Amino acid sequence: MGWKNFSALIIILFANGYNIGKGVHTMATVNSVLGPIDTDKLGFTLMHEHLMVSSAGIPQVYDRLLGDDYIERIVQGLKKAKASGIDTIVDATTFDLGRDVTMMAEVSRRSGVNIIAVTGWWLELPRFLNGLSADQFADLFTREIEEGIAGTSNKAGLLKAASDIEGVSPAEEQILRGVARAYRRTGVPIMLHSYSPGQVGRQQIAILREEAVDLRHVKLDHSNDTTDVEYLTWILEQGCYLGMDRYPGRITSSQARTRTMKALIDAGWAHRLLPSHDYSLLWLRLEGLTQNSPMSQEEREKRNPHGYLYIKKVVFPQLKKLGVPEAVLNQLCIDGPRNFFEGK
Ligand SMILES: [Zn+2]
């Protein structure tokens, strides 16, 4: 056999081996801030939380507003969650909510909780970004998934777009289309901040359909701000997941949220429901509260003294009392998140 034939044979063997390998291993991974994790290692996962919430640039420039030892306080909060069985947290904090991926990597390393960072945008678009195109946004978001965030190698594992009570604004539409296009390039799934009492998800889904997004890779967040089972069922029928991710929440009571979840479980949708709290361990210290100020940290802790553990301590026992079997409860926070990241 000549050298040419021999190398051709090697190439064929290599190519075959590669294909066979690909066929056997359908293992999926998700980017955590410390690197890729196999989806079957995610464990008990909360799909929409925050480590801290502020505004773009605050942790990097005005970190004194976060108080002394704030990183230590976040680590303690995470260690407590880990000790009670929380393995993974999606930190839904985008750039405009004061994301700090260096802090996220440090607290993940120190607490042992996997942290998944998001790219995309929430509702705070600065004036001079009005006018960026969908493709410009897509470039920014893709880079944070493929290369890393803010000059680090810590990558995002999820895309996020947002609209609220006023529906999808023209600027938010550019971001949403940018998120869709970054999804098409990377395959990373999408979470949508939505206003479920106003059925804003219908508009968001229509735009994602125009961008040819596979809706099995999309979750509609804050879906338990409504008790309208008919609307929620419509979203599920489109293929999306529901983020049942405000607990205890406001306006709609915690009990009403749980009854809505039970109704959807009874209708056979347990595999598409993702419970979480939208809780933040840390907020800015506000010493000049006015009518327009967000709730103080004290008020928040009074409303939810269990933090990331409210679902385990309050919601799951209630669901159990309503007749939901233990196996289904596990499905909600273990199998559901894994299936979401695997695109099932
Ligand atoms: Zn949130």
Side-chain angles (χ1 to χ4, degrees):
M1 195 193 296
W3 169 248
K4 226 176 172 180
N5 287 339
F6 179 71
S7 24
L9 179 66
I10 293 295
I11 287 166
I12 289 164
L13 284 176
F14 184 80
N16 272 340
Y18 178 70
N19 283 336
I20 289 164
K22 234 181 160 181
V24 173
H25 300 285
T26 50
M27 194 167 56
T29 60
V30 50
N31 285 338
S32 81
V33 290
L34 297 182
I37 336 176
D38 295 345
T39 45
D40 60 2
K41 302 259 159 58
L42 290 171
F44 194 102
T45 302
L46 296 172
M47 290 294 291
H48 187 136
E49 307 292 345
H50 300 270
L51 300 177
M52 66 182 186
V53 169
S54 59
S55 292
I58 295 293
Q60 292 80 6
V61 180
Y62 294 122
D63 60 320
R64 292 187 65 179
L65 293 176
L66 294 158
D68 293 337
D69 302 327
Y70 73 93
I71 291 182
E72 182 59 33
R73 281 186 278 136
I74 293 172
V75 170
Q76 290 312 319
L78 286 174
K79 280 186 174 169
K80 197 175 146 198
K82 178 77 185 170
S84 294
I86 309 290
D87 302 304
T88 302
I89 287 178
V90 171
D91 183 345
T93 309
T94 47
F95 167 76
D96 53 321
L97 285 167
R99 183 187 56 186
D100 179 354
V101 79
T102 306
M103 174 280 286
M104 289 160 73
E106 179 182 342
V107 301
S108 176
R109 204 174 290 119
R110 287 174 58 192
S111 66
V113 177
N114 304 313
I115 306 287
I116 297 170
V118 301
T119 182
W121 220 276
W122 186 63
L123 299 163
E124 299 275 338
L125 192 69
R127 173 184 297 234
F128 294 108
L129 295 188
N130 241 305
L132 284 192
S133 70
D135 286 329
Q136 283 180 296
F137 279 114
D139 288 344
L140 300 179
F141 304 154
T142 301
R143 194 162 175 211
E144 294 192 323
I145 293 164
E146 292 182 343
E147 293 174 34
I149 297 168
T152 71
S153 57
N154 309 124
K155 297 172 184 168
L158 218 73
L159 283 147
K160 177 172 175 176
S163 286
D164 210 282
I165 193 161
E166 283 162 2
V168 182
S169 72
E172 287 162 9
E173 183 174 336
Q174 295 299 318
I175 296 171
L176 181 55
R177 290 187 188 277
V179 159
R181 291 172 199 181
Y183 153 83
R184 301 259 334 253
R185 291 186 208 164
T186 62
V188 159
I190 298 171
M191 63 196 292
L192 297 176
H193 168 108
S194 194
Y195 182 69
S196 54
Q199 305 200 354
V200 170
R202 290 187 192 270
Q203 258 181 300
Q204 294 168 301
I205 286 172
I207 292 166
L208 292 184
R209 274 196 194 286
E210 284 178 14
E211 295 286 339
V213 170
D214 180 342
L215 294 172
R216 289 173 308 169
H217 299 172
V218 176
K219 74 180 173 99
L220 263 288
D221 283 7
H222 312 323
S223 287
N224 58 354
D225 282 347
T226 184
T227 55
D228 183 346
V229 170
E230 202 178 309
Y231 167 62
L232 296 177
T233 304
W234 178 83
I235 296 175
L236 291 162
E237 284 168 353
Q238 311 311 301
C240 301
Y241 286 74
L242 292 183
M244 306 301 274
D245 48 26
R246 277 197 174 145
Y247 263 115
R250 301 167 80 174
I251 305 170
T252 304
S253 74
S254 173
Q255 291 84 346
R257 288 166 195 269
T258 303
R259 282 194 300 272
T260 306
M261 186 136 70
K262 171 68 163 55
L264 292 169
I265 291 170
D266 288 348
W269 292 111
H271 63 297
R272 277 295 193 264
L273 307 177
L274 301 167
S276 202
H277 306 91
D278 199 12
Y279 180 79
S280 181
L281 281 174
L282 208 70
W283 294 84
L284 294 183
R285 299 202 160 168
L286 306 170
E287 293 177 4
L289 287 172
T290 68
Q291 252 186 338
N292 295 328
S293 304
M295 223 192 287
S296 69
Q297 177 129 16
E298 292 71 27
E299 178 68 18
R300 287 173 200 280
E301 280 167 13
K302 210 163 73 191
R303 293 177 59 84
N304 176 10
H306 303 297
Y308 295 146
L309 299 174
Y310 184 90
I311 286 170
K312 275 186 175 249
K313 294 203 167 162
V314 180
V315 181
F316 279 5
Q318 278 170 351
L319 282 171
K320 235 169 144 179
K321 227 186 200 167
L322 292 170
V324 177
E326 191 91 35
V328 174
L329 298 181
N330 285 331
Q331 191 183 345
L332 294 172
C333 290
I334 298 173
D335 301 347
R338 192 181 69 209
N339 290 338
F340 174 75
F341 283 113
E342 289 175 359
K344 285 182 178 165

